[in-house]
Amino acid sequence: MLQRKTTKLINKHLLMSLVVVAFASTSLELAYAQKNQTATKKKSSDISLTSDDKIFLELREASKNNEASKAKDLGQKLSNYDIADYVAYFQIKPRLFDKGGAPRAETMADDAVDQFLKKYDGTALADRLRNDWLLVLGKRKDWPTFDREYAQFVLDDDTQVKCYALQSRLTKGESVNVLAAEVKNILLDSRYFGDACPDLVNSIYKANGFSKHEVATFSRMAVENNFETLANRFDVPDPMADIVRSARKSPEVAFRDFDKKAWRTSKENTAAAWGSVGQYLAKKLDPNGLKAFKMQHELGHHHLLTPETQEWKVRAALREGDWRIVKETIDHMTPSVRKRDPAWTYWHARAQKELGDESLAKESLQALSDQYHFYGQLAREDLGMKIHVPKRVAADESLVKQASSNKAFARAVRFYDMGLRFEGNREWNWELRNLSDKQLIAVAEHAKRIGLYDRAVNTADRTKLEHDFSLRYPTPFKESLAPIAGSIGLDTNWAYGLIRQESRFIMNARSHVGASGLMQVMPATAKYVAKKIGMNSFKPSQLDDMKVNLTLGSNYLNMVLQDLDGSWALASAAYNAGPGRPKMWREKLPRVVEGAIFAETIPFNETRGYVKNVLANASYYTAMSSNKTPSLKQNLGTVSPKASVLSELP
């Protein structure tokens, strides 16, 4: 799925920001899971749809909007449609939720759900419906039925369902302290709290499992993300909510004002408020961010900081070079916050090293060194080791043949052909769940052979001990890209690293903001670049042409590279967020920093992940394509607070 970019006109004499749409690249396939991403769509002219296919697409939309009556009528027209389970699901699902998306407490759909789960037991769609039904059962507090169904819920990836499961355990008398500890490791992002999680927190609070300050922290998480209605669902509202709101609006004012009156409230409240103020200042790259965090640090109560605040406290300390704060903040992180991102293992090791504990630092770096990601590469170089590609395990042809005849993969392809990438990915990924490394490699090889490079990449990414990096990092369209990149002196491996991140090699990738093709080029940017390189007859429709897309995207990447002193880190950020932004971020640096610190402290979540992934990708492409030993640290370089030069680049 594709992610949205933020675009902004700085002013007509300065820089316009390029908007491109990127895929998040991780082995866990966040690229297709995050809610703020948009599925790749094909033009209707690219798809041969039957009349029933068109009704099916209408049914899908009605189901998405929870229009139960319309879904029922459309479904009745598809009594002989060959995707019968989806027809049934799309009719049942709107009966479980109201038009606002809230679960219904009524029992009118129970029989239909039960019949569906029995008929399609073990399928991806049955697990999806079970997820939906668990939300309904939890709202009803029908714990016996909930427990029965939850035991069969395979993916178990819904935060609200997890909260209902803990509520059920609470009603059975399980230790409130054990449940409270689990809640802290589950509730990391207020976007997914729904109704279930505040109710769970309140119940544990009433049972003396949480202090009032801990409950206020969950409320603060909602306020920090501007979810005011959610914040009010907690029994103990954040007493510092006004300070948090002020910081969200103007952290500079909040810093000044709170400094004058912090003494008027408790140490717990003061520490928590300084944390929120520090978070918002840090996101603006304001050096007062670390000052606010230091005030919090002196007061303690680190457990009252929200997960996002904990992470930004580390980033603020990294920018200022305060390794003691880096180490101690990571020491105090909520365990699940620390574990969910290898960044914190890496930066903790670096802090240990900077503070003189070489042996512990080496131990932590060694734990990362065999992991195939940005921080694994950095760890290897810190240990004096080379970035490497593991020995290739070639696909077993008998297993490839099995994959090619697998009905689930064929069904996924059917969905892709209809432009339904979300459904296609669901079916494809479900089939991968219990496969061995050898089977995964064979499925990835099958995907490559039928031109589904994104499936090849994400399937091969799942292997644990046996690997084929030519499938993780494929090089399709090389006969087109290599001469284009060569003609302008652009590093082909870096270009491939960027394309892998942008589109996963889906040629007809489209974003909802208009970026398209392998390099996700915006029409306005394309026009500008076309004019600069003398492509005078260019029309936006030509972005669908692979060579045109590669030509314009490669030239633009080269332009931002030249404009940003040849820095891959800055240029990658510019390609994602627009050239004006990395210039501003650089200007706010307090000192010269290593490129890894610059990347880690980029204020935009998407761009931060994008830069890391593009450069890590480029290292592996380099390792596979030449005898040259790649160096991520060299490609990251250092970044200085150099004044930016005005540019015409869009």
Side-chain angles (χ1 to χ4, degrees):
M1 293 184 181
L2 297 169
Q3 291 182 307
R4 184 178 180 177
K5 298 293 178 294
T6 305
T7 183
K8 179 180 179 182
L9 181 64
I10 297 180
N11 70 44
K12 65 181 180 179
H13 298 298
L14 296 178
L15 302 171
M16 292 176 62
S17 294
L18 168 68
V19 178
V20 292
V21 176
F23 282 84
S25 169
T26 74
S27 60
L28 298 179
E29 224 175 320
L30 294 177
Y32 299 105
Q34 295 177 357
K35 283 191 174 182
N36 64 338
Q37 296 173 327
T38 302
T40 301
K41 295 181 180 179
K42 286 188 177 184
K43 288 183 174 180
S44 59
S45 59
D46 294 333
I47 311 168
S48 261
L49 295 177
T50 66
S51 57
D52 280 355
D53 289 338
K54 293 175 182 177
I55 295 173
F56 181 75
L57 293 177
E58 286 186 62
L59 171 60
R60 177 182 183 264
E61 192 65 19
S63 181
K64 178 182 176 183
N65 296 327
N66 293 322
E67 299 173 292
S69 179
K70 184 176 181 181
K72 179 181 178 181
D73 292 342
L74 290 166
Q76 289 174 346
K77 297 178 182 180
L78 296 170
S79 57
N80 296 316
Y81 197 58
D82 63 336
I83 314 180
D85 54 345
Y86 274 84
V87 172
Y89 171 77
F90 287 150
Q91 291 178 88
I92 296 171
K93 184 255 182 182
R95 299 169 62 190
L96 299 176
F97 300 91
D98 63 28
K99 288 191 176 181
R104 300 178 185 272
E106 297 86 353
T107 62
M108 61 182 181
D110 284 16
D111 287 344
V113 171
D114 191 52
Q115 291 173 20
F116 186 99
L117 293 178
K118 288 177 180 176
K119 184 174 182 178
Y120 298 108
D121 182 47
T123 66
L125 200 54
D127 205 56
R128 174 66 258 175
L129 182 59
R130 181 168 278 113
N131 188 164
D132 296 335
W133 199 25
L134 284 166
L135 293 172
V136 172
L137 294 170
K139 184 171 183 176
R140 284 187 207 160
K141 300 190 185 306
D142 179 355
W143 301 127
T145 310
F146 179 94
D147 293 343
R148 182 194 73 201
E149 295 300 323
Y150 186 61
Q152 301 176 71
F153 183 28
V154 176
L155 293 185
D156 194 15
D157 56 354
D158 187 306
T159 300
Q160 280 204 79
V161 170
K162 290 177 186 291
C163 285
Y164 280 133
L166 292 176
Q167 282 193 48
S168 178
R169 290 164 57 186
L170 183 63
T171 64
K172 295 177 179 62
E174 191 163 336
S175 167
V176 70
N177 292 326
V178 170
L179 296 176
E182 289 192 41
V183 170
K184 291 178 182 178
N185 282 320
I186 290 172
L187 299 192
L188 303 180
D189 190 331
S190 56
R191 289 177 298 171
Y192 309 120
F193 285 6
D195 294 335
C197 299
D199 290 347
L200 171 64
V201 170
N202 293 337
S203 296
I204 292 177
Y205 171 58
K206 290 171 184 174
N208 298 315
F210 283 135
S211 71
K212 64 179 182 179
H213 294 295
E214 289 173 317
V215 178
T217 299
F218 292 117
S219 178
R220 186 179 317 113
M221 289 172 66
V223 175
E224 286 180 352
N225 286 287
N226 201 23
F227 299 148
E228 296 291 344
T229 301
L230 174 64
N232 292 331
R233 289 188 58 88
F234 293 94
D235 283 351
V236 183
D238 178 18
M240 309 309 291
D242 286 342
I243 292 295
V244 177
R245 293 185 190 101
S246 174
R248 198 175 65 224
K249 182 178 180 181
S250 177
E252 300 88 353
V253 172
F255 178 79
R256 181 194 66 207
D257 291 349
F258 189 55
D259 192 25
K260 296 176 181 178
K261 54 188 178 185
W263 57 272
R264 298 178 186 175
T265 186
S266 69
K267 287 185 177 181
E268 291 92 343
N269 291 340
T270 302
W274 276 130
S276 289
V277 172
Q279 177 198 145
Y280 288 106
L281 285 167
K283 287 177 178 176
K284 295 189 76 171
L285 308 182
D286 189 318
N288 282 332
L290 187 58
K291 292 181 181 178
F293 281 132
K294 284 183 174 179
M295 293 178 190
Q296 173 274 315
H297 203 76
E298 290 175 5
L299 292 167
H301 305 291
H302 307 290
H303 66 293
L304 300 181
L305 299 184
T306 64
E308 194 166 7
T309 298
Q310 293 174 35
E311 293 178 334
W312 275 102
K313 185 177 175 183
V314 177
R315 294 186 182 114
L318 282 172
R319 282 179 68 87
E320 301 291 336
D322 192 326
W323 292 103
R324 180 183 67 84
I325 296 289
V326 169
K327 179 185 179 299
E328 292 178 2
T329 301
I330 298 174
D331 284 337
H332 290 296
M333 270 185 170
T334 304
S336 55
V337 175
R338 183 170 177 175
K339 290 178 183 177
R340 70 177 173 176
D341 190 339
W344 312 128
T345 300
Y346 176 75
W347 291 117
H348 190 261
R350 284 289 309 279
Q352 289 173 318
K353 182 177 180 179
E354 296 292 336
L355 295 172
D357 198 335
E358 295 274 354
S359 60
L360 279 177
K362 185 176 181 180
E363 184 179 332
S364 297
L365 291 171
Q366 285 175 334
L368 284 173
S369 63
D370 288 330
Q371 298 177 26
Y372 298 110
H373 49 58
F374 181 83
Y375 296 102
Q377 292 185 16
L378 289 177
R380 290 187 72 84
E381 292 201 66
D382 284 337
L383 292 168
M385 303 164 66
K386 295 179 180 179
I387 295 172
H388 76 300
V389 171
K391 179 182 177 182
R392 179 177 180 241
V393 175
D396 181 320
E397 285 299 326
S398 66
L399 294 177
V400 176
K401 186 176 180 180
Q402 287 179 23
S404 67
S405 60
N406 182 290
K407 292 181 179 179
F409 297 137
R411 172 185 250 205
V413 173
R414 166 82 184 278
F415 282 130
Y416 295 143
D417 288 343
M418 295 176 70
L420 302 180
R421 186 157 291 278
F422 181 82
E423 285 77 8
N425 289 347
R426 172 192 286 149
E427 295 293 328
W428 189 284
N429 293 341
W430 179 262
E431 200 67 10
L432 302 178
R433 288 170 302 120
N434 300 314
L435 299 188
S436 66
D437 284 352
K438 282 186 169 62
Q439 289 172 313
L440 288 169
I441 290 169
V443 174
E445 177 65 25
H446 164 61
K448 186 188 79 169
R449 291 180 187 181
I450 62 175
L452 289 177
Y453 294 106
D454 66 309
R455 293 299 88 204
V457 168
N458 288 294
T459 301
D461 258 345
R462 294 170 179 251
T463 60
K464 299 295 190 296
L465 299 174
E466 298 180 285
H467 309 285
D468 183 349
F469 266 43
S470 70
L471 294 169
R472 284 197 190 193
Y473 298 91
T475 55
F477 324 119
K478 194 166 188 176
E479 69 284 355
S480 297
L481 178 61
I484 292 169
S487 68
I488 57 176
L490 182 69
D491 189 290
T492 305
N493 296 311
W494 180 37
Y496 263 123
L498 184 137
I499 295 170
R500 184 185 190 272
Q501 182 67 16
E502 283 289 347
S503 66
R504 279 288 201 271
F505 307 102
I506 301 172
M507 290 178 61
N508 57 4
R510 295 276 193 291
S511 80
H512 61 282
V513 294
S516 63
L518 291 172
M519 297 192 75
Q520 287 292 278
V521 184
M522 286 293 289
T525 301
K527 289 180 182 178
Y528 171 85
V529 177
K531 183 178 179 180
K532 285 292 183 181
I533 66 175
M535 194 183 289
N536 298 321
S537 60
F538 171 77
K539 296 178 181 178
S541 61
Q542 290 178 274
L543 281 174
D544 294 332
D545 180 276
M546 178 185 65
K547 289 186 179 180
V548 172
N549 195 281
L550 290 174
T551 297
L552 296 175
S554 296
N555 273 276
Y556 187 77
L557 180 59
N558 195 51
M559 288 176 183
V560 294
L561 178 66
Q562 301 308 317
D563 192 52
L564 290 162
D565 308 322
S567 167
W568 281 19
L570 290 168
S572 297
Y575 197 92
N576 180 260
R581 289 193 176 95
K583 289 184 177 183
M584 289 187 289
W585 299 335
R586 177 176 67 182
E587 287 174 356
K588 291 186 177 183
L589 285 170
R591 60 198 174 92
V592 176
V593 299
E594 57 188 271
I597 290 177
F598 174 82
E600 185 60 61
T601 58
I602 289 173
F604 293 179
N605 292 342
E606 181 190 318
T607 305
R608 185 167 59 252
Y610 181 93
V611 171
K612 295 176 188 177
N613 287 328
V614 168
L615 268 69
N617 292 347
S619 293
Y620 289 129
Y621 275 114
T622 299
M624 290 190 300
S625 67
S626 67
N627 294 323
K628 181 181 177 182
T629 300
S631 171
L632 177 58
K633 285 181 172 285
Q634 182 177 329
N635 289 338
L636 282 164
T638 59
V639 181
S640 63
K642 180 178 179 181
S644 52
V645 179
L646 298 187
S647 166
E648 297 177 348
L649 288 175

